[in-house]
Amino acid sequence: SQKIEQNSEALNIQEGKTATLTCNYTNYSPAYLQWYRQDPGRGPVFLLLIRENEKEKRKERLKVTFDTTLKQSLFHITASQPADSATYLCALERESGGGADGLTFGKGTHLIIQP
Amino acid sequence: DGGITQSPKYLFRKEGQNVTLSCEQNLNHDAMYWYRQDPGQGLRLIYYSQIVNDFQKGDIAEGYSVSREKKESFPLTVTSAQKNPTAFYLCASSISSGSRYNEQFFGPGTRLTVL
């Protein structure tokens, strides 16, 4: 079955630096991968989707890479700010493959940006 | 303002009681989902619905039931058969309609506690 691994420990980064989060997956070749942000006690908010034929995607200070050979995605936040502190979730389409069949989520990485 | 609403925000239940969580969306999305989140865990899919009057079991459907009588509404019932119902429940929706690459929009969540 699908397995997604994210750094389960908190990641502490100094303000202004680039934060890099890792998502590794096994036993599956998804057509896309998504990243979400979740604040405490709230629902996740969609950030970026990257397809299997895309190597890199950018949105403002965010950049996502997708290496289907390594089965890995990297999520970068450049010029990080304390407001970027949150838990970031990696998600894949479920193994059933249908686009509307829901997502499989990693446990998330808790990012802390220190002033 | 378009979005997803969930009610109530906090819910307390005695053991042996059934309880229904509400989820409404005014985004005109076809697909709706229910996820469960436990501390330190990723979101796990309970049920999903791609169209009105149709729904499928997700990865952890035992002890739960749903209905989809209207496009806007997808209520979740947590039955007494669910052994560990205390969790944070999240409802989501996506446009669907044949597209595979859909982001999901999440509601604010309902925190259920069994006393």
Side-chain angles (χ1 to χ4, degrees), chain B residues 1-77:
Chain B
D1 236 359
I4 300 179
T5 57
Q6 291 185 243
S7 61
K9 188 172 178 62
Y10 297 97
L11 188 57
F12 297 90
R13 186 195 94 173
K14 292 183 179 179
E15 276 193 40
Q17 288 181 337
N18 291 356
V19 63
T20 298
L21 282 60
S22 168
C23 177
E24 304 277 332
Q25 55 99 359
N26 61 2
L27 300 167
N28 199 33
H29 285 173
D30 290 319
M32 296 187 74
Y33 312 85
W34 275 105
Y35 294 89
R36 167 184 173 140
Q37 188 174 34
D38 295 281
Q41 300 294 320
L43 280 68
R44 291 182 290 167
L45 184 66
I46 304 172
Y47 266 99
Y48 63 99
S49 168
Q50 298 178 356
I51 197 167
V52 175
N53 293 322
D54 188 43
F55 50 82
Q56 273 76 42
K57 292 182 179 179
D59 300 318
I60 55 165
E62 185 175 351
Y64 300 97
S65 66
V66 293
S67 63
R68 187 86 186 276
E69 297 177 0
K70 298 187 298 182
K71 187 175 186 177
E72 306 79 27
S73 180
F74 191 40
L76 173 75
T77 297

Side-chain angles (χ1 to χ4, degrees), chain B residues 6 21 34-37 46 64 76 78 82 84-91 107-113:
Chain B
Q6 291 185 243
L21 282 60
W34 275 105
Y35 294 89
R36 167 184 173 140
Q37 188 174 34
I46 304 172
Y64 300 97
L76 173 75
V78 184
Q82 168 51 232
N84 296 295
T86 294
F88 188 45
Y89 290 87
L90 289 157
C91 179
T110 292
R111 190 167 296 280
L112 172 64
T113 302

